[in-house]
Amino acid sequence: RHWLKLTPSDIMWNTSDTGWVKAAWSSLFAPWICGSCVFVHSMPQFKPEVIAETLSKYPITTFCTAPTAFLMLVKHDVSSYKFPSLKHCVTGGEALNPEVLAKWKIQTGVDIHEGYGQTETVRL
């Protein structure tokens, strides 16, 4: 509840592959415990334009992806897209470059909240 800031009116999209425990925590357990909707997208390959189009087309409120994915998104320059529902972004698993954090905020108006921890000690 505290990390993802999910409520029953939120829609959570986590891009983690189902082979990672992150998918279980952020795509199933945490949203369902909070009563939130889970958004699922079949995306065999990461494409920044598909991510940006999806965030602008669907009412996703909370978005979680890897720092490398955020890097690819800001390099794509998502400032021409509108994300009307997006209000909370989270990342973890590797270090997030401060420049990416700043560019994402400039391009979208939304902060990225970075977490660090072991998958065995996940917090909701």
Side-chain angles (χ1 to χ4, degrees), residues 1-123:
R1 285 186 169 91
H2 301 291
W3 171 243
L4 296 174
K5 298 197 183 299
L6 293 172
T7 68
S9 62
D10 286 312
I11 298 174
M12 171 72 189
W13 185 23
N14 170 39
T15 64
S16 292
D17 186 88
T18 54
W20 293 87
V21 74
K22 179 69 176 145
W25 285 112
S26 290
S27 296
L28 297 175
F29 304 139
W32 289 354
I33 287 170
C34 296
S36 302
C37 176
V38 176
F39 183 85
V40 178
H41 190 295
S42 176
M43 195 170 38
Q45 183 178 5
F46 182 89
K47 292 183 180 177
E49 61 276 9
V50 172
I51 299 282
E53 289 166 9
T54 302
L55 287 170
S56 36
K57 182 177 181 181
Y58 298 98
I60 296 160
T61 59
T62 304
F63 178 58
C64 176
T65 197
T68 300
F70 277 114
L71 171 63
M72 294 169 69
L73 284 160
V74 297
K75 282 185 175 182
H76 179 69
D77 189 1
V78 295
S79 60
S80 63
Y81 297 89
K82 301 293 180 232
F83 307 141
S85 300
L86 189 62
K87 62 182 181 181
H88 191 66
C89 295
V90 295
T91 192
E94 61 188 77
L96 178 65
N97 183 320
E99 184 178 289
V100 173
L101 187 85
K103 283 184 179 181
W104 180 261
K105 174 73 174 187
I106 290 167
Q107 291 178 14
T108 68
V110 180
D111 288 315
I112 300 171
H113 299 269
E114 181 180 18
Y116 173 80
Q118 296 293 96
T119 56
E120 293 79 13
T121 61
V122 157
R123 289 185 171 180

